[in-house]
Coordinates of all heavy atoms in Angstrom, one line a residue:
Q1 N 247.2 76.7 -164.0 CA 247.0 77.1 -162.6 C 245.7 77.8 -162.5 O 245.3 78.6 -163.4 CB 248.2 78.0 -162.2 CG 248.2 78.3 -160.7 CD 249.4 79.1 -160.3 OE1 250.2 79.4 -161.2 NE2 249.6 79.2 -159.1
T2 N 245.0 77.7 -161.4 CA 243.7 78.3 -161.2 C 243.9 79.5 -160.2 O 244.8 79.6 -159.4 CB 242.7 77.3 -160.6 OG1 243.2 76.8 -159.3 CG2 242.4 76.2 -161.5
C3 N 242.9 80.4 -160.3 CA 242.9 81.6 -159.4 C 242.4 81.2 -158.1 O 241.6 80.3 -157.8 CB 241.8 82.6 -160.0 SG 241.6 84.0 -159.0
A4 N 243.0 81.8 -157.0 CA 242.7 81.5 -155.7 C 241.2 81.9 -155.3 O 240.6 81.3 -154.5 CB 243.6 82.2 -154.7
L5 N 240.8 83.0 -156.0 CA 239.4 83.5 -155.8 C 238.7 83.6 -157.1 O 238.5 84.7 -157.6 CB 239.4 84.8 -155.1 CG 240.0 84.8 -153.7 CD1 240.1 86.3 -153.2 CD2 239.1 84.1 -152.8
P6 N 238.3 82.5 -157.7 CA 237.6 82.6 -159.0 C 236.2 83.2 -158.9 O 235.6 83.2 -157.9 CB 237.5 81.1 -159.5 CG 237.5 80.3 -158.2 CD 238.4 81.1 -157.3
I7 N 235.8 83.8 -160.0 CA 234.5 84.4 -160.0 C 233.5 83.3 -159.9 O 233.6 82.3 -160.7 CB 234.3 85.2 -161.3 CG1 235.2 86.4 -161.3 CG2 232.8 85.7 -161.4 CD1 235.2 87.2 -162.6
S8 N 232.6 83.3 -159.0 CA 231.7 82.2 -158.7 C 230.3 82.3 -159.3 O 229.6 81.4 -159.1 CB 231.6 82.0 -157.2 OG 231.1 83.1 -156.6
S9 N 230.0 83.4 -160.0 CA 228.6 83.5 -160.5 C 228.6 84.4 -161.7 O 229.5 85.2 -161.9 CB 227.6 84.0 -159.5 OG 227.8 85.4 -159.3
E10 N 227.6 84.1 -162.6 CA 227.5 85.0 -163.8 C 227.2 86.4 -163.4 O 227.7 87.3 -164.0 CB 226.3 84.4 -164.6 CG 226.2 85.1 -166.0 CD 225.2 84.4 -166.9 OE1 224.8 83.3 -166.7 OE2 224.7 85.1 -167.8
L11 N 226.4 86.6 -162.3 CA 226.1 88.0 -161.9 C 227.4 88.7 -161.5 O 227.6 89.9 -161.8 CB 225.1 88.0 -160.8 CG 223.7 87.6 -161.2 CD1 222.8 87.5 -159.9 CD2 223.1 88.5 -162.2
E12 N 228.2 88.0 -160.8 CA 229.5 88.6 -160.3 C 230.4 89.0 -161.5 O 231.0 90.0 -161.6 CB 230.3 87.7 -159.4 CG 231.5 88.3 -158.8 CD 232.2 87.4 -157.8 OE1 231.9 86.2 -157.7 OE2 233.0 88.0 -157.1
A13 N 230.4 88.1 -162.5 CA 231.2 88.3 -163.7 C 230.6 89.6 -164.5 O 231.4 90.4 -164.9 CB 231.1 87.1 -164.6
Q14 N 229.3 89.7 -164.6 CA 228.7 90.8 -165.2 C 229.0 92.1 -164.5 O 229.3 93.2 -165.1 CB 227.2 90.6 -165.4 CG 226.8 89.6 -166.4 CD 225.3 89.3 -166.4 OE1 224.6 89.8 -165.5 NE2 224.9 88.5 -167.3
A15 N 229.0 92.1 -163.2 CA 229.3 93.3 -162.4 C 230.7 93.7 -162.6 O 231.0 94.9 -162.5 CB 229.0 93.0 -160.9
L16 N 231.6 92.8 -162.8 CA 233.0 93.1 -163.0 C 233.3 93.5 -164.5 O 234.4 93.9 -164.8 CB 233.9 92.0 -162.6 CG 234.0 91.7 -161.1 CD1 234.6 90.4 -160.9 CD2 234.6 92.8 -160.3
G17 N 232.3 93.3 -165.3 CA 232.5 93.6 -166.8 C 233.1 92.5 -167.6 O 233.5 92.6 -168.7
V18 N 233.1 91.3 -167.0 CA 233.6 90.1 -167.7 C 232.5 89.6 -168.6 O 231.4 89.3 -168.1 CB 234.0 89.0 -166.7 CG1 234.4 87.7 -167.4 CG2 235.2 89.5 -165.8
N19 N 232.9 89.4 -169.9 CA 231.9 88.9 -170.8 C 232.4 87.8 -171.7 O 231.9 87.5 -172.8 CB 231.2 90.0 -171.6 CG 232.2 90.8 -172.4 OD1 233.4 90.4 -172.6 ND2 231.8 92.0 -172.9
S20 N 233.6 87.3 -171.4 CA 234.2 86.3 -172.2 C 235.2 85.5 -171.3 O 235.6 86.0 -170.3 CB 235.0 86.8 -173.4 OG 236.1 87.6 -173.0
T21 N 235.5 84.3 -171.8 CA 236.6 83.5 -171.1 C 237.6 83.1 -172.1 O 237.3 82.8 -173.2 CB 236.0 82.3 -170.4 OG1 235.4 81.5 -171.4 CG2 235.1 82.6 -169.3
P22 N 238.9 83.1 -171.7 CA 239.3 83.6 -170.4 C 239.3 85.1 -170.3 O 239.4 85.8 -171.4 CB 240.7 83.1 -170.3 CG 241.2 83.1 -171.7 CD 240.0 82.7 -172.5
T23 N 239.2 85.7 -169.1 CA 239.4 87.1 -168.9 C 240.2 87.2 -167.6 O 239.9 86.5 -166.6 CB 238.1 87.8 -168.6 OG1 237.3 87.8 -169.8 CG2 238.3 89.3 -168.3
F24 N 241.3 88.0 -167.7 CA 242.1 88.2 -166.6 C 241.9 89.6 -165.9 O 241.8 90.5 -166.7 CB 243.6 88.1 -167.0 CG 244.0 86.8 -167.6 CD1 243.8 86.6 -169.0 CD2 244.4 85.7 -166.8 CE1 244.1 85.3 -169.5 CE2 244.7 84.5 -167.3 CZ 244.6 84.3 -168.7
L25 N 241.7 89.6 -164.6 CA 241.6 90.9 -163.9 C 242.8 91.1 -163.1 O 243.1 90.4 -162.1 CB 240.4 90.8 -163.0 CG 240.1 92.0 -162.1 CD1 239.8 93.2 -162.9 CD2 238.9 91.7 -161.1
I26 N 243.6 92.1 -163.6 CA 244.9 92.4 -162.9 C 244.9 93.8 -162.5 O 244.8 94.7 -163.4 CB 246.1 92.1 -163.9 CG1 246.0 90.6 -164.4 CG2 247.4 92.4 -163.2 CD1 247.0 90.3 -165.5
A27 N 245.0 94.1 -161.3 CA 245.1 95.4 -160.7 C 243.9 96.3 -161.2 O 244.1 97.4 -161.5 CB 246.4 96.1 -161.0
G28 N 242.7 95.7 -161.2 CA 241.6 96.4 -161.6 C 241.3 96.6 -163.0 O 240.3 97.2 -163.4
R29 N 242.2 96.1 -163.9 CA 242.0 96.2 -165.3 C 241.7 94.8 -165.9 O 242.3 93.8 -165.6 CB 243.3 96.7 -166.0 CG 243.1 96.9 -167.4 CD 244.3 97.7 -168.0 NE 244.1 97.7 -169.5 CZ 245.1 98.0 -170.3 NH1 246.3 98.3 -169.9 NH2 244.9 97.9 -171.6
L30 N 240.7 94.8 -166.9 CA 240.4 93.5 -167.5 C 241.2 93.3 -168.7 O 241.5 94.2 -169.5 CB 238.9 93.5 -167.9 CG 237.9 93.5 -166.8 CD1 236.5 93.6 -167.4 CD2 238.0 92.3 -165.9
Y31 N 241.7 92.0 -168.9 CA 242.4 91.6 -170.1 C 241.6 90.4 -170.7 O 241.8 89.2 -170.2 CB 243.8 91.2 -169.7 CG 244.6 92.4 -169.2 CD1 244.6 92.7 -167.9 CD2 245.4 93.1 -170.1 CE1 245.4 93.7 -167.4 CE2 246.1 94.2 -169.6 CZ 246.1 94.5 -168.2 OH 246.8 95.5 -167.8
P32 N 240.7 90.7 -171.6 CA 239.8 89.5 -172.1 C 240.6 88.8 -173.2 O 241.4 89.3 -173.9 CB 238.6 90.3 -172.7 CG 239.1 91.6 -173.1 CD 240.2 92.0 -172.1
G33 N 240.1 87.5 -173.3 CA 240.6 86.7 -174.4 C 242.0 86.0 -174.1 O 242.4 86.0 -173.0
R34 N 242.5 85.5 -175.2 CA 243.8 84.8 -175.0 C 244.9 85.7 -175.0 O 245.4 86.2 -176.0 CB 243.9 83.8 -176.2 CG 242.8 82.7 -176.2 CD 242.9 81.9 -177.4 NE 244.0 80.9 -177.2 CZ 244.5 80.1 -178.1 NH1 244.0 80.1 -179.3 NH2 245.5 79.3 -177.8
V35 N 245.4 86.1 -173.8 CA 246.5 86.9 -173.6 C 247.8 86.1 -173.5 O 247.8 85.2 -172.7 CB 246.3 87.8 -172.3 CG1 247.5 88.7 -172.1 CG2 245.0 88.6 -172.4
P36 N 248.8 86.4 -174.3 CA 250.0 85.6 -174.3 C 250.7 85.6 -172.9 O 250.6 86.7 -172.2 CB 250.9 86.3 -175.3 CG 249.9 87.0 -176.3 CD 248.8 87.4 -175.4
V37 N 251.3 84.6 -172.5 CA 251.9 84.5 -171.2 C 252.9 85.5 -171.0 O 253.0 86.2 -170.0 CB 252.5 83.1 -170.9 CG1 253.3 83.0 -169.7 CG2 251.4 82.0 -170.9
D38 N 253.7 85.8 -172.0 CA 254.8 86.8 -171.9 C 254.2 88.2 -171.7 O 254.8 89.0 -171.0 CB 255.7 86.8 -173.1 CG 255.0 87.1 -174.4 OD1 253.9 86.6 -174.6 OD2 255.6 87.8 -175.3
T39 N 253.0 88.5 -172.2 CA 252.3 89.7 -172.0 C 251.9 89.8 -170.5 O 252.0 90.8 -169.8 CB 251.1 89.9 -172.9 OG1 251.6 89.9 -174.2 CG2 250.4 91.2 -172.6
L40 N 251.3 88.7 -170.0 CA 250.9 88.7 -168.6 C 252.1 88.9 -167.7 O 252.0 89.6 -166.7 CB 250.1 87.4 -168.3 CG 248.8 87.2 -169.0 CD1 248.3 85.8 -168.7 CD2 247.8 88.2 -168.5
V41 N 253.2 88.2 -167.9 CA 254.4 88.3 -167.2 C 254.8 89.8 -167.2 O 255.2 90.4 -166.1 CB 255.5 87.4 -167.7 CG1 256.8 87.7 -167.0 CG2 255.1 85.9 -167.4
R42 N 254.9 90.4 -168.3 CA 255.3 91.8 -168.4 C 254.4 92.7 -167.6 O 254.9 93.6 -166.9 CB 255.3 92.2 -169.9 CG 256.2 93.3 -170.2 CD 256.4 93.6 -171.7 NE 255.2 93.5 -172.5 CZ 255.0 92.6 -173.5 NH1 255.8 91.6 -173.7 NH2 253.8 92.7 -174.1
I43 N 253.1 92.5 -167.7 CA 252.1 93.3 -166.9 C 252.4 93.2 -165.4 O 252.5 94.2 -164.7 CB 250.7 92.9 -167.2 CG1 250.3 93.3 -168.7 CG2 249.7 93.5 -166.2 CD1 249.1 92.6 -169.2
V44 N 252.5 91.9 -164.9 CA 252.7 91.7 -163.5 C 254.1 92.2 -163.1 O 254.2 92.8 -162.0 CB 252.5 90.2 -163.2 CG1 252.9 89.9 -161.7 CG2 251.0 89.8 -163.4
D45 N 255.1 92.0 -163.8 CA 256.4 92.5 -163.5 C 256.4 94.0 -163.3 O 257.0 94.5 -162.4 CB 257.5 92.0 -164.5 CG 257.8 90.5 -164.3 OD1 257.5 89.9 -163.3 OD2 258.5 90.0 -165.3
S46 N 255.7 94.6 -164.3 CA 255.7 96.1 -164.2 C 254.9 96.6 -162.9 O 255.4 97.5 -162.3 CB 254.9 96.6 -165.5 OG 254.8 98.0 -165.4
L47 N 253.9 95.9 -162.6 CA 253.1 96.3 -161.4 C 254.0 96.0 -160.1 O 254.0 96.9 -159.2 CB 251.9 95.4 -161.2 CG 250.8 95.8 -162.3 CD1 249.7 94.7 -162.3 CD2 250.2 97.2 -161.9
I48 N 254.7 95.0 -160.1 CA 255.6 94.7 -159.0 C 256.7 95.8 -158.9 O 257.0 96.3 -157.8 CB 256.2 93.3 -159.1 CG1 255.1 92.2 -158.9 CG2 257.3 93.1 -158.1 CD1 255.5 90.8 -159.2
A49 N 257.3 96.1 -160.0 CA 258.4 97.1 -160.0 C 257.9 98.5 -159.5 O 258.7 99.3 -159.0 CB 259.0 97.2 -161.4
H50 N 256.6 98.8 -159.8 CA 256.1 100.1 -159.4 C 255.2 100.1 -158.2 O 254.6 101.1 -157.9 CB 255.3 100.7 -160.6 CG 256.2 100.9 -161.8 ND1 256.3 100.0 -162.8 CD2 257.0 102.0 -162.1 CE1 257.1 100.5 -163.7 NE2 257.6 101.7 -163.3
S51 N 255.2 99.0 -157.4 CA 254.4 99.0 -156.2 C 255.2 99.4 -155.0 O 256.4 99.2 -155.0 CB 253.8 97.5 -156.1 OG 254.8 96.6 -155.8
P52 N 254.5 99.9 -154.0 CA 255.1 100.2 -152.8 C 255.6 98.9 -152.0 O 255.1 97.9 -152.3 CB 254.1 101.0 -152.0 CG 252.8 100.5 -152.5 CD 253.1 100.2 -153.9
P53 N 256.5 99.1 -151.1 CA 256.9 97.9 -150.3 C 255.7 97.2 -149.7 O 254.7 97.9 -149.3 CB 257.8 98.5 -149.2 CG 258.3 99.8 -149.7 CD 257.2 100.3 -150.6
A54 N 255.8 95.9 -149.5 CA 254.6 95.1 -149.0 C 254.1 95.7 -147.7 O 252.9 95.6 -147.4 CB 255.0 93.7 -148.8
S55 N 254.9 96.2 -146.8 CA 254.4 96.7 -145.5 C 253.5 97.9 -145.6 O 252.7 98.1 -144.7 CB 255.6 97.1 -144.6 OG 256.4 98.1 -145.2
T56 N 253.5 98.6 -146.7 CA 252.7 99.8 -146.8 C 251.6 99.6 -148.0 O 250.8 100.5 -148.1 CB 253.5 101.1 -147.2 OG1 254.2 100.9 -148.5 CG2 254.5 101.4 -146.1
A57 N 251.6 98.5 -148.6 CA 250.7 98.3 -149.7 C 249.3 98.0 -149.1 O 249.1 97.4 -148.1 CB 251.1 97.1 -150.6
S58 N 248.3 98.4 -149.9 CA 246.9 98.2 -149.5 C 246.6 96.7 -149.8 O 247.1 96.2 -150.8 CB 245.9 99.1 -150.3 OG 246.2 100.4 -150.0
P59 N 245.7 96.1 -149.0 CA 245.4 94.7 -149.3 C 244.5 94.6 -150.6 O 243.8 95.6 -150.9 CB 244.6 94.2 -148.1 CG 244.1 95.5 -147.4 CD 245.1 96.6 -147.8
A60 N 244.7 93.5 -151.3 CA 243.9 93.4 -152.5 C 242.4 93.3 -152.2 O 242.0 92.7 -151.2 CB 244.4 92.1 -153.2
P61 N 241.6 93.8 -153.1 CA 240.1 93.7 -152.8 C 239.7 92.3 -152.9 O 240.2 91.5 -153.7 CB 239.5 94.6 -153.9 CG 240.5 94.7 -155.0 CD 241.9 94.5 -154.3
K62 N 238.7 91.9 -152.1 CA 238.2 90.5 -152.1 C 237.0 90.4 -153.0 O 236.1 91.3 -152.9 CB 237.9 90.1 -150.7 CG 239.1 90.0 -149.8 CD 238.8 89.4 -148.5 CE 240.0 89.3 -147.7 NZ 239.9 88.6 -146.5
L63 N 237.0 89.4 -153.8 CA 235.8 89.2 -154.7 C 234.7 88.6 -153.8 O 235.0 87.8 -152.9 CB 236.1 88.3 -155.8 CG 237.1 88.8 -156.8 CD1 237.5 87.8 -157.9 CD2 236.7 90.1 -157.5
T64 N 233.5 88.9 -154.1 CA 232.4 88.3 -153.4 C 232.0 87.0 -154.0 O 232.4 86.7 -155.2 CB 231.1 89.2 -153.4 OG1 230.7 89.4 -154.7 CG2 231.4 90.5 -152.7
G65 N 231.3 86.1 -153.4 CA 230.9 84.8 -154.0 C 230.8 83.8 -152.8 O 230.9 84.1 -151.7
G66 N 230.6 82.6 -153.3 CA 230.3 81.6 -152.3 C 231.5 80.9 -151.8 O 231.4 79.7 -151.3
R67 N 232.7 81.5 -151.8 CA 233.9 80.8 -151.4 C 234.5 81.5 -150.2 O 234.3 82.6 -149.9 CB 234.9 80.8 -152.5 CG 234.4 80.0 -153.6 CD 235.5 79.7 -154.6 NE 234.8 78.9 -155.6 CZ 235.2 77.8 -156.0 NH1 236.2 77.2 -155.5 NH2 234.6 77.2 -157.0

């Protein structure tokens, strides 16, 4: 599956601190390299469990780029 807003340039990647692929950016934290799926699921599940209800949550920041 692909990201809805992939990083579109090397400069954008550098600005975010990405220096390898794959790199996952989840809730503002970088997870570089081959991260096991079960680890990613655990990270996202934890974020969901500790997040406020959708009606009060802040919108996710938008990445810049040509998309």
Side-chain angles (χ1 to χ4, degrees):
Q1 188 172 8
T2 60
C3 177
L5 294 172
I7 295 172
S8 60
S9 73
E10 187 175 339
L11 290 175
E12 185 175 14
Q14 289 174 353
L16 292 169
V18 174
N19 58 17
S20 66
T21 57
T23 296
F24 300 91
L25 176 62
I26 304 172
R29 183 170 173 199
L30 293 177
Y31 297 87
R34 298 177 74 187
V35 180
V37 171
D38 60 323
T39 300
L40 293 172
V41 169
R42 204 169 45 247
I43 292 165
V44 172
D45 284 348
S46 175
L47 289 168
I48 291 169
H50 295 97
S51 65
S55 61
T56 61
S58 300
K62 293 186 179 187
L63 298 176
T64 60
R67 297 194 182 235

